[in-house]
Amino acid sequence: MTIFPALRATLRPTLRPLSAALFALALAAPAAAESGGPGIGSIEIGPRPFYLVGEMKDGALKEQLAQCKGPFTAKNFSIAHRGAPLQFPEHTREGYIAAARMGAGVIECDVAFTKDRELVCRHAQCDLHTTTDILARPELAAKCSEGFQPADPTTGRKASAKCCTSDLTLAEFKSLRPKMDGFNPRGVTAQEYMDGTPSWRTDLYVNRATLVSHKEYIDLVKSLGLKFTPELKTPEVAMPFEGSYSQEHYAQQMIDEYKAAGIDPRDVYAQSFRLDDVLYWLKAEPAFGAQAVYLDGRDEENKGFDNMKPESWQPSMQELADKGVKILAPPLWMLVTHKDGRIVPSAYAEAAKKAGLGLIAWSLERSGPLNTGGGYYYQSVKPVIDRDGDMLALLDVLGRDIGVIGVFSDWPATTTFYANCMKLN
């Protein structure tokens, strides 16, 4: 959703939107996903969720989760954010498969376009310099929008580069090798710049990771029997691209690839930070628009945004609902605040529920350890968190007190574990 490190979820009960009950039915995992999907087998969540339970503050929730032993099944509440990028390079085949094995019922592909107007899975249109080896490939690095500039300690200038999917053809993009998202701003060589994996991630699975096109992602997730959540990334180049490829062409092309693959629109949760994209799908592709997701980035667009002050939300929750929006997806922190030492729902969350909007939250386990405050995603509850186990306390407020539809996670085993323990979809 937003880029590292400060990176970046119910329905209106009227005739137009789905009722809450119908929406819950639409989210029910298909039979293939419940058993792990074809080729996946049983769901394996590994030790991390139990580690987090051990790190929780003592109390009833900790005791309840400690008694949860499985077996575990895939859950649509568990949404794979870019795959499983806590340990696997994001938006790679290997990361998607890891997420499916951890029980994610919904897999995300952030969609960007190449120079030859093919769609690929990449978090941002211009992130190839931090997520691939492009700067180590002179013939491709030469095509970057902005070439590598080394850090200059004497002036304080930080190292930089800007390499976009739209700088390369699909074939050139597919020739790149992915790496963990990160960079070293003090790098004086391209290699030093690329060596920036955060200490709480790992490079263990980088060497054999594989980039994918949007069509390849569709084929993979279809074969796994899971659901799709593609995000149409906001272009970082002028549109229409090269004079003829408009935003509407781009938005339509993404949907057309699901139609060509024979995907049921009820299995697709198209996302965008641009409200106009959501409104376009509602008008041009109503079967897909019915569960399109408006990603709320208004905290970055409007510095006066406050999750406790409705007057700072433009448009309002009711205005969004009146436009036909049915699902709203803000960052974790917007949905919560703290009171009497506890995490509680925010005014933003309560207003969204009152307007009948479905909620999806992003992104759990995107930040580093919580003993330092958790960073961007936990900013509204920083005074009441001091350990990684607090992720589960937050997840419980999202799941039970607010009733979110699902939660994006960089390590879907955690959300799978919680959803199974609480018997969520």
Side-chain angles (χ1 to χ4, degrees):
M1 318 238 51
T2 54
I3 60 174
F4 172 84
L7 309 158
R8 319 246 209 63
T10 130
L11 293 173
R12 185 173 173 79
T14 66
L15 183 60
R16 286 183 301 159
L18 296 170
S19 70
L22 285 175
F23 193 81
L25 181 62
L27 275 177
E34 287 293 342
S35 62
I40 290 299
S42 61
I43 298 304
E44 301 175 3
I45 63 170
R48 179 166 174 79
F50 302 102
Y51 164 79
L52 293 176
V53 171
E55 287 287 298
M56 294 179 70
K57 298 178 179 74
D58 291 339
L61 178 61
K62 181 176 182 178
E63 292 177 5
Q64 181 178 0
L65 294 177
Q67 295 171 15
C68 184
K69 304 299 183 183
F72 300 100
T73 60
K75 296 292 183 179
N76 287 315
F77 181 88
S78 180
I79 306 174
H81 181 237
R82 315 187 200 178
L86 185 64
Q87 292 196 24
F88 290 81
E90 63 191 42
H91 293 310
T92 58
R93 179 180 179 82
E94 293 74 15
Y96 292 147
I97 292 174
R101 285 178 172 146
M102 288 187 278
V106 186
I107 309 287
E108 181 187 43
C109 166
D110 291 324
V111 178
F113 59 85
T114 62
K115 187 173 181 61
D116 49 354
R117 303 177 192 186
E118 296 290 341
L119 302 183
V120 296
C121 296
R122 198 85 322 250
H123 169 61
Q125 184 179 31
C126 299
D127 74 356
L128 298 182
H129 50 288
T130 66
T131 63
T132 76
D133 69 342
I134 190 169
L135 296 180
R137 306 277 296 279
E139 74 284 5
L140 297 180
K143 299 185 178 187
C144 289
S145 294
E146 298 175 11
F148 172 67
Q149 294 293 321
D152 186 343
T154 61
T155 64
R157 184 186 69 196
K158 297 179 180 179
S160 65
K162 184 178 181 181
C163 304
C164 308
T165 58
S166 52
D167 294 332
L168 306 179
T169 64
L170 175 61
E172 291 169 335
F173 170 83
K174 288 296 299 295
S175 75
L176 296 171
R177 292 182 61 179
K179 71 179 191 69
M180 296 299 280
D181 184 15
F183 64 97
N184 175 9
R186 296 182 296 277
V188 295
T189 67
Q191 186 59 49
E192 289 179 351
Y193 178 78
M194 292 190 297
D195 187 15
T197 301
S199 61
W200 39 272
R201 293 187 183 148
T202 179
D203 289 315
L204 187 61
Y205 303 107
V206 168
N207 290 338
R208 301 185 67 85
T210 312
L211 295 177
V212 296
S213 69
H214 182 234
K215 291 177 182 177
E216 290 170 329
Y217 151 84
I218 292 174
D219 289 343
L220 174 61
V221 176
K222 182 179 181 180
S223 76
L224 297 172
L226 303 175
K227 294 179 184 282
F228 311 79
T229 186
E231 179 191 334
L232 193 74
K233 298 307 299 187
T234 300
E236 296 184 44
V237 297
M239 299 293 280
F241 178 61
E242 295 186 339
S244 59
Y245 186 63
S246 69
Q247 184 69 28
E248 290 75 18
H249 288 141
Y250 178 34
Q252 185 63 50
Q253 182 182 355
M254 188 181 85
I255 299 301
D256 285 345
E257 294 194 351
Y258 290 92
K259 295 167 71 174
I263 304 300
D264 189 327
R266 294 172 295 180
D267 290 339
V268 182
Y269 300 87
Q271 314 170 70
S272 180
F273 278 102
R274 297 180 74 257
L275 181 57
D276 284 349
D277 292 335
V278 175
L279 298 180
Y280 172 81
W281 292 322
L282 282 165
K283 180 179 180 180
E285 294 287 351
F288 288 89
Q291 52 193 31
V293 180
Y294 175 41
L295 297 165
D296 198 344
R298 289 177 290 177
D299 61 312
E300 294 197 349
E301 298 165 3
N302 174 12
K303 299 307 178 183
F305 180 92
D306 188 322
N307 70 332
M308 298 300 290
K309 295 181 178 179
E311 63 272 15
S312 71
W313 316 331
Q314 300 297 327
S316 70
M317 300 300 182
Q318 191 59 55
E319 287 171 335
L320 287 173
D322 290 344
K323 290 177 182 291
V325 175
K326 298 174 181 64
I327 309 176
L328 182 64
L332 297 171
W333 74 266
M334 285 192 193
L335 292 170
V336 291
T337 186
H338 61 92
K339 182 179 181 181
D340 299 328
R342 297 182 303 110
I343 301 171
V344 297
S346 67
Y348 177 102
E350 297 292 359
K353 290 173 62 178
K354 184 177 180 180
L357 294 169
L359 290 168
I360 296 174
W362 46 271
S363 295
L364 202 71
E365 298 172 287
R366 186 68 193 168
S367 304
L370 299 196
N371 60 359
T372 58
Y376 171 80
Y377 291 104
Y378 301 87
Q379 58 187 282
S380 62
V381 291
K382 184 176 180 179
V384 296
I385 59 173
D386 61 9
R387 63 194 70 192
D388 283 354
D390 289 332
M391 290 184 199
L392 290 172
L394 171 58
L395 193 55
D396 192 55
V397 173
L398 295 171
R400 289 204 290 188
D401 296 345
I402 298 175
V404 301
I405 295 163
V407 177
F408 282 93
S409 176
D410 277 26
W411 198 245
T414 302
T415 41
T416 298
F417 169 78
Y418 176 82
N420 274 270
C421 297
M422 299 302 175
K423 296 179 171 51
L424 303 177
N425 286 331

